[in-house]
Amino acid sequence: MNHTTQVAIVGAGPSGLLLGQLLAKAGIDNIIVEQRDPDYILGRIRAGVLESVCVEALEQAGCAERLHAEGLIHHGIELAFGGASHRINFEELIGKHVVVYGQTEVTRDLMAARESIGATTVYEADQVSLHDIDSASPKVRFVKDGQTHEIAAAFVAGCDGFHGVSRKTVADRIQTFERVYPFGWLGILADVPPVTEELIYANSERGFALSSMRSKTRVRCYIQCSLDDKVEDWSDQRFWDEYRRRLPEAAAAATITGPSIEKSIAPLRSFVTEPMRFGNLFLAGDAAHIVPPTGAKGLNLAASDVLYLARGIAQFFVERSSEGIDGYSQRALSRIWKAERFSWWMTSLLHRFPEQTDFDRAIQRAELDYLVGSTAARTSLAENYVGLPMAS
Ligand code: RFL
Ligand code: PHB
């Protein structure tokens, strides 16, 4: 069966859904093709911290009502090391904050908004493939319920994450930059109240730990683990015991534990694709870049990519100007590389690396001491954590 639309979007994660919504708001017709079903997508527990750029994108998409009602405003974070905890006060340093609201909820809100406007999302599409991307009529082909479909569009947006088909389609035309870290994060979700009002990032002798949350009654906690570890090796009890050992004493003693409702291991990676445009195919979000989660930047970068892309596509259709789409790759990459740098730096600062010497460890400690003792250094952390401004 043949279909036509203005923009064919591959992937219904936050990038694809947000792009679909922003385009629809600008009166641009789009179809999303996704290989999974909605429940699978909503079952993936990922990001929790939203920058103001991401919040503004969701406002623009008309999807920020519940976020404003239920999201938790955080004015800072705690950095714990050497047995003590130090607050980095974003509000005082730069007058800004972040919002804690789960990626699952962002996705749920975007899905609901899309359904309410009656836009088409094809879930459980098999054998998705991209064709003629350098022509004026690129196509997305897929099989659904045994029938082959083809969507012809003016543009294809590859929003299909790190393992998607879009980047693979142009594998021979891209340059990639990559660092794989020698550890992973074991994460647990549990319905217990958080130990403090804000997130705690802890550098301990036993490795990194992060105390995060989804609400006042649900925590998301992580510990650095070995890449050889299996989720099955980690009973809830073993997780909580290890997690507590890595937190400062007071926080460890006050931690309330409970049964996990989700537990998973994520490897840590830095990865960038250049460029992000190939003819009439545009990559956005995790399809084009990955950051280690330490800087809480992945979802936020997806939002800024999509804002640049939606703006460019709208300029093309509404103002007949290709300036926005022509500048997309360069504009997006400039912001991406700064977030890559920050995420790499936070990861280097807070984890225990297997090859670390006593010298490396002492330098890490000196950097942490410098950070908490210097307003300039704390300001730098704060402005990167809450998110750098977008280009106009
Ligand atoms: P996604 O979410 O991977 O969605 C891509 C979608 O494309 C579909 N797909 C295909 N569809 C059709 N055909 C194909 N061939 C396809 N192949 C794949 C997939 O099924 C999926 O539905 O990418 P997107 O939309 O670009 O969104 C990116 C974010 O999900 C990601 O950057 C963040 O989750 C990263 N991240 C964090 N980001 C933050 O900003 N703040 C955080 O606090 C934060 N914490 C995290 C994180 C990621 C984590 N993990 C597990 C990777 C914490 C963790 C543990
Ligand atoms: C999360 O809540 O999942 C989370 C928060 C901050 C991070 C990474 C993950 O840096």
Side-chain angles (χ1 to χ4, degrees):
M1 239 169 108
N2 292 330
H3 315 262
T4 50
T5 187
Q6 288 173 292
V7 181
I9 301 172
V10 186
S15 301
L17 289 165
L18 178 61
L19 180 63
Q21 221 42 39
L22 292 174
L23 292 177
K25 284 262 168 203
I28 297 162
D29 190 42
N30 62 86
I31 297 177
I32 300 182
V33 179
E34 160 65 49
Q35 68 177 6
R36 303 285 188 171
D37 65 71
D39 288 341
Y40 179 92
I41 296 170
L42 291 172
R44 289 190 295 227
I45 306 300
R46 290 183 166 181
V49 177
L50 310 185
E51 299 174 355
S52 52
V53 160
C54 186
V55 171
E56 280 153 28
L58 291 163
E59 282 167 353
Q60 222 172 296
C63 295
E65 209 173 297
R66 207 159 63 91
L67 154 70
H68 284 309
E70 297 175 18
L72 305 174
I73 293 178
H74 282 199
H75 299 288
I77 54 169
E78 295 276 337
L79 270 192
F81 59 93
S85 198
H86 308 262
R87 178 141 193 263
I88 311 286
N89 187 333
F90 304 151
E91 205 63 59
E92 193 178 280
L93 290 161
I94 54 168
K96 292 188 176 152
H97 60 259
V98 290
V99 178
V100 170
Y101 188 69
Q103 177 168 331
T104 308
E105 305 313 315
V106 170
T107 310
R108 201 189 301 282
D109 295 345
L110 286 164
M111 281 177 174
R114 188 162 179 88
E115 203 174 318
S116 75
I117 57 168
T120 309
T121 310
V122 182
Y123 286 103
E124 297 178 271
D126 290 325
Q127 299 169 48
V128 178
S129 58
L130 277 49
H131 305 271
D132 307 331
I133 57 162
D134 291 303
S135 79
S137 179
K139 291 161 192 82
V140 175
R141 219 171 276 158
F142 60 95
V143 174
K144 169 81 182 171
D145 300 329
Q147 194 177 15
T148 302
H149 296 257
E150 184 175 278
I151 306 172
F155 300 117
V156 174
C159 299
D160 47 352
F162 185 64
H163 300 288
V165 67
S166 300
R167 195 181 67 255
K168 287 189 189 125
T169 306
V170 290
D172 54 344
R173 295 162 65 175
I174 56 177
Q175 184 176 12
T176 56
F177 302 82
E178 184 170 36
R179 168 156 303 183
V180 177
Y181 299 87
F183 39 73
W185 276 21
L186 169 64
I188 195 171
L189 194 67
D191 278 331
V192 290
V195 61
T196 47
E197 289 207 350
E198 292 174 345
L199 273 59
I200 306 173
Y201 287 82
N203 173 324
S204 90
E205 287 304 317
R206 301 179 67 91
F208 172 73
L210 169 60
S211 162
S212 182
M213 64 194 75
R214 289 292 174 274
S215 69
K216 294 211 165 62
T217 56
R218 177 171 286 187
V219 294
R220 178 70 168 159
C221 303
Y222 298 95
I223 53 172
Q224 171 185 353
C225 66
S226 156
L227 285 172
D228 299 325
D229 280 355
K230 303 269 168 294
V231 172
E232 307 78 71
D233 303 336
W234 287 89
S235 65
D236 290 354
Q237 190 61 47
R238 183 176 172 212
F239 176 90
W240 288 119
D241 287 347
E242 183 59 37
Y243 168 78
R244 277 190 167 135
R245 282 193 200 109
R246 298 184 188 191
L247 289 187
E249 239 170 60
T255 294
I256 301 169
T257 64
S260 64
I261 46 179
E262 195 266 0
K263 201 188 285 163
S264 51
I265 293 181
L268 266 67
R269 177 193 306 273
S270 298
F271 177 88
V272 181
T273 300
E274 289 191 6
M276 289 167 63
R277 179 191 184 176
F278 307 86
N280 285 318
L281 166 67
F282 297 85
L283 301 180
D286 278 15
H289 43 77
I290 295 289
V291 282
T294 331
K297 287 280 160 273
L299 174 61
N300 294 304
L301 277 184
S304 56
D305 286 359
V306 164
L307 278 171
Y308 285 132
L309 185 56
R311 202 195 287 166
I313 292 177
Q315 263 174 20
F316 180 85
F317 284 116
V318 181
E319 298 164 28
R320 297 275 146 207
S321 159
S322 60
E323 194 277 326
I325 53 172
D326 290 345
Y328 168 67
S329 191
Q330 193 228 322
R331 256 186 217 112
L333 281 164
S334 160
R335 192 165 194 276
I336 289 158
W337 272 115
K338 290 181 195 123
E340 289 283 346
R341 184 209 68 81
F342 177 67
S343 305
W344 159 83
W345 175 77
M346 282 283 276
T347 304
S348 311
L349 184 71
L350 294 171
H351 290 76
R352 229 190 141 153
F353 286 72
E355 72 277 14
Q356 233 166 10
T357 62
D358 287 348
F359 176 84
D360 298 330
R361 201 71 191 145
I363 289 289
Q364 202 183 45
R365 175 59 195 262
E367 181 147 19
L368 284 161
D369 283 338
Y370 167 63
L371 183 61
V372 298
S374 157
T375 306
R378 276 182 283 120
T379 304
S380 168
L381 189 159
E383 69 177 4
N384 280 280
Y385 193 91
V386 305
L388 295 173
M390 288 187 57
S392 54

